[in-house]
């Protein structure tokens, strides 16, 4: 489409790094290269709400123009803060843009940020939490954080396959390390599963959205999460499948245990944010 | 011994309701009956630190003279509060006792408590928590709370048997619903298991004490606890057994999943303190 | 201007209920009447950020079309929530408006709110606080809350006059009960006063903005506030005036004490949110 | 009495460093010297509950044998922790003492403390707070902390004299920097004053105890406290005196303001724990 847009009517290409409703992680660097091959000047804008600080992401290196992020996922905070990273190209476009704006205007924010301030009253209490969250992430090491989520995603997929269920995402290169969307077996209702898991085990699984409604449930494994929290989660799913009488094999949780135990034997893994930390 | 104590030199029989280091729950009502059969006037004193509000206990009905309890187990609070329940007989003994005392003197406490006060400064912040904890327990219903811990204890024992390990407590009538002490397989070191589980999974298992040191590890399932927390716990133990190379069968966690899933199908079970409660 | 706008090019009249930078409370009901006298169809939009729940405000009764509010002042919460009240007329205008919008579109919010949800992730933790804040306000009684702020404002003005300083707001009918802006005596620098009060007493006074910069300081008395907090505040100002050598009379704080003591003798006053409440 | 105790029947001299009910600070160093002059071997035991970390105290330098302290005053924590400092002489006496003991036995505590542990379950959550409190005190500097409380005590006494009331403590060398006990004017009832101050201003003044009941009220100025909190406190007392119709002069709070403003001009004073600290 970009190649055919000789009139340059397309202003931006927008992508979601980690698609929360499907458990698909887009290959942002490759999308950038595809844009570049067309020599089209469109901006490249990426939503990293459910990936940032759980899945590796590189605003500068991958040539993204505008990145949007939030506090409530990988940054392990309550919702209430949002972030933008912007390239020089995006900033230049901002200066000439004619869409009316006020709150969303970067100029006021950039001017105030110079001295550490905000043009409007920010959610100050979350800034204290953000400071602590960043310290926790750097203490564990970002590479270790990403490897931990990769490990939990792989353990989850092994559980799903152990149950004989299908992962919604078909391309292994795009498996999400933040969440896994699982196809409910034919005849089953994913929302009935979600309801019984909430009622009986106080665990909230993600729902399938729009055309996946009732057909898919989602298992989150992002942010502040460790091996035992994942095992509680997977046990809850396996028990829920049993309770709703969904056709499945036992042994999914066992497959995750076996994988995690083996992984834990490696010297380089990290545990995640520690309960016992002071 | 009481029967032979014709000189009445024995002043009190002391028992621990739930023995934290071994996972044995004493049959307090039966001990009372045994005391009564000797017609000995000794007081009956019971420590309920790790049982109260997790395992059924009846100070009046069972004829206990002094009950001691604490805030940090079944009452789901930080440590810092302790409680006494005392019978009329214990109170009478207190009045004629000649052991020097000041802080431990019930008179000052009873006098101040009449008007809702304390003779000394109590740990006031924990009193707010106690109020909330009692409300949570009554909301779930004490019988449901006890049944929940019974269920978790049974699931834990099924896991232990699934691993081919032995439960330290040999008498099923005295199994503890608050914790389960597990014999390490011959040749294994329970403290090495505990260390690796702490290092790799941030979970602290209880140690064997004195002559059980290194031979036993303990799995707690008391207080604020639900099915998925138990499954995280049991998965952590199974992975730890694997990591230290202890001889065991896989499938312990699976046995617990199967039992809990079946139990969850019953209409009368409760989930435990809810994460989602406001 | 409305009367002369025969082409109806003016779309809305916007007012600030309580002007935070000057301590002036606009008479919203009177402005509505003035608009009505012109028979101009412009919408009437009011900012109540620093007044709502501290100063009486009546969206429906006063015929306001759009009211904007926030969590961080009279609602006694951290910043992070914002509120809109909208009239049928505003809603109708919204439906035909052509300004591009997405996040600010009321339709999505109204649809989701029907079932108690939000179209985007709200600042969930503040919703718990909001629930509690509203309960506190209703417990004290809104009329009592407003009377309390009126009392604190009057005490503050008596202090200001006691010091021989001038209140920025000249019209008593528009005195703000949320804050009082005070003219620095000639030759004095309000920012120097603010700095020394912050350094020596850890109290942050509001600054004069734009053409009032350095000439005005502001004393807040809104939200969770009581007589003794006000007296600490006024004592800090009086000490600050002394420290910077600003020409003033002593006795401002004393005047406030005298007024508050007299007011406290009335049976109908309320104390404000109680430190001693459980 | 010590000099006449030739049979050495007196085992210990006990003193309260800061007498909370009267506002008198004992000269512990002088008492030690007086004991020494008698050459009597009695132990010297001191209660520092309401002085430690608010008033200078030197266990070693003053030759105290046993010091008792608590968390809930100068250490700015909730109640729930208590501390002992013991001399070698006290430790030796402990080893030969024959009074039955168990919980109060130092041996178990000393043994466990070697490795940073406790013989019983301590109030763990308060230990985190203690760590932070000590950091705050060291950050301000202990000498500055003591000077701050001295300043607040002097300001309070100036207020009391300004009201024409009497300070209970008659010896200026023993004025307490942690609290000031004030004689109610003849005919007045201190408890009526305390009640109205609590009802109208949500401030709890200390009561007179035993033979001072109803005749004395106490103003606390210890722990986490600054100039403006003191001024709120003193304003509340002045307003209370007015409300109960107690004979007094106005101007007490004003005298404190004048003193504190002058003191704040000195370069070496500290503000106290900062509200604005992150």
């Amino acid at each position: 489409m970009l190649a055919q847009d000789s009139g340059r009517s397309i202003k931006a290409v927008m992508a979601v790094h980690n698609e929360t409703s499907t458990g698909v992680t887009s290959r942002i660097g490759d999308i950038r290269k595809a844009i570049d091959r067309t020599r089209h000047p469109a901006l490249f804008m990426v939503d990293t709400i459910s990936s940032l600080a759980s899945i590796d992401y590189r605003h500068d290196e991958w040539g993204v123009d505008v990145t949007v992020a939030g506090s409530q996922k990988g940054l392990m905070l309550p919702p209430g803060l949002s972030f933008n990273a912007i390239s020089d190209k995006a900033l230049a476009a901002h200066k000439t843009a004619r869409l009316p704006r006020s709150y969303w205007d970067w100029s006021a924010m950039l001017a105030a940020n110079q001295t550490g301030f905000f043009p409007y009253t920010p959610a100050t209490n979350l800034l204290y939490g953000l400071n602590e969250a960043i310290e926790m992430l750097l203490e564990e090491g970002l590479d270790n954080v990403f490897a931990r989520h990769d490990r939990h995603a792989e353990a989850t997929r092994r559980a799903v396959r152990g149950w004989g269920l299908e992962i919604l995402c078909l391309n292994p290169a795009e498996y999400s390390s933040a969440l896994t969307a699982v196809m409910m077996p034919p005849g089953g209702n994913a929302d009935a599963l979600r309801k019984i898991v909430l009622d009986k085990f106080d665990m909230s699984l993600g729902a399938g959205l729009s055309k996946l409604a009732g057909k898919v449930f989602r298992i989150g494994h992002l942010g502040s999460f460790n091996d035992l929290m994942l095992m509680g989660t997977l046990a809850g799913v396996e028990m829920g499948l049993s309770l709703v009488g969904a056709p499945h094999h036992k042994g999914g949780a066992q497959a995750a245990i076996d994988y995690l135990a083996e992984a834990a034997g490696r010297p380089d893994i990290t545990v995640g944010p520690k309960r016992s930390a002071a």
Side-chain angles (χ1 to χ4, degrees), chain A:
Chain A
M1 287 182 65
L2 290 175
Q4 291 161 5
D5 180 39
S6 54
R8 301 315 194 209
S9 68
I10 294 173
K11 297 301 175 206
V13 173
M14 307 183 76
V16 173
H17 183 213
N18 182 67
E19 227 290 311
T20 315
S21 64
T22 56
V24 173
T25 301
S26 294
R27 287 161 290 150
I28 299 302
D30 290 352
I31 297 176
R32 170 81 271 174
K33 286 174 195 156
I35 297 170
D36 289 348
R37 281 193 295 272
T38 69
R39 299 184 181 268
H40 191 290
L43 292 168
F44 187 28
M45 301 182 173
V46 180
D47 167 345
T48 66
I49 303 282
S50 62
S51 63
L52 198 80
S54 289
I55 302 174
D56 197 7
Y57 179 79
R58 297 164 185 263
H59 173 83
D60 290 320
E61 187 179 325
W62 293 346
V64 180
D65 292 306
V66 179
T67 296
V68 177
S71 57
Q72 76 271 29
K73 304 275 186 183
L75 290 172
M76 308 178 286
L77 295 170
L81 288 178
S82 179
F83 310 89
N84 278 181
I86 51 181
S87 71
D88 288 342
K89 185 176 167 189
L91 195 54
H94 163 84
K95 282 178 182 150
T96 60
R98 284 166 307 172
L99 194 69
R101 61 206 143 144
S102 169
Y103 184 82
W104 301 118
D105 193 324
W106 289 329
S107 310
M109 185 65 82
L110 285 166
N113 280 185
Q114 297 277 356
T115 49
F117 287 91
F118 293 82
Y120 312 112
T121 308
T124 43
N125 60 331
L126 292 181
L127 294 174
Y128 293 103
L130 180 60
N131 210 44
E132 191 69 19
I134 289 172
E135 203 167 288
M136 288 164 72
L137 289 165
L138 296 179
E139 204 173 274
E140 184 174 357
L142 278 180
D143 285 346
N144 292 325
V145 170
F146 300 148
R148 170 164 55 87
H149 292 295
D150 290 346
R151 186 168 87 237
H152 292 162
E154 176 61 25
T156 302
R157 291 189 296 267
R158 292 192 179 209
V160 173
R161 290 185 199 117
W163 296 320
L165 305 189
E166 278 181 57
I167 295 156
L168 181 65
C169 178
L170 296 175
N171 183 352
E174 295 183 341
Y175 281 153
S176 168
S177 286
L179 80 148
T180 300
V182 182
M183 298 294 289
M184 195 67 186
N189 183 318
D191 289 339
L193 171 71
R194 291 176 55 247
K195 185 180 185 317
I196 208 161
V197 167
L198 183 60
D199 288 351
K200 295 289 186 179
F201 308 118
D202 196 32
M203 177 166 75
S204 177
L205 293 167
L209 302 175
S210 60
K211 69 179 176 182
L212 293 170
K215 296 181 181 162
V216 153
F217 63 91
R218 294 178 287 139
I219 300 170
H221 33 73
L222 82 176
S224 176
F225 211 66
N226 67 25
D227 287 16
L228 303 196
M229 293 160 84
L230 177 61
M231 285 317 308
T233 303
L234 297 176
V237 172
E238 184 162 331
M239 294 194 284
L241 290 168
S242 189
L243 283 167
V244 296
H248 74 288
H249 304 300
K250 287 182 180 179
Q254 183 70 52
I257 287 177
D258 295 345
Y259 171 73
L260 290 172
E262 193 193 325
R266 297 202 309 262
D268 59 335
I269 72 152
T270 55
V271 175
K274 288 211 178 185
R275 181 186 54 79
S276 48

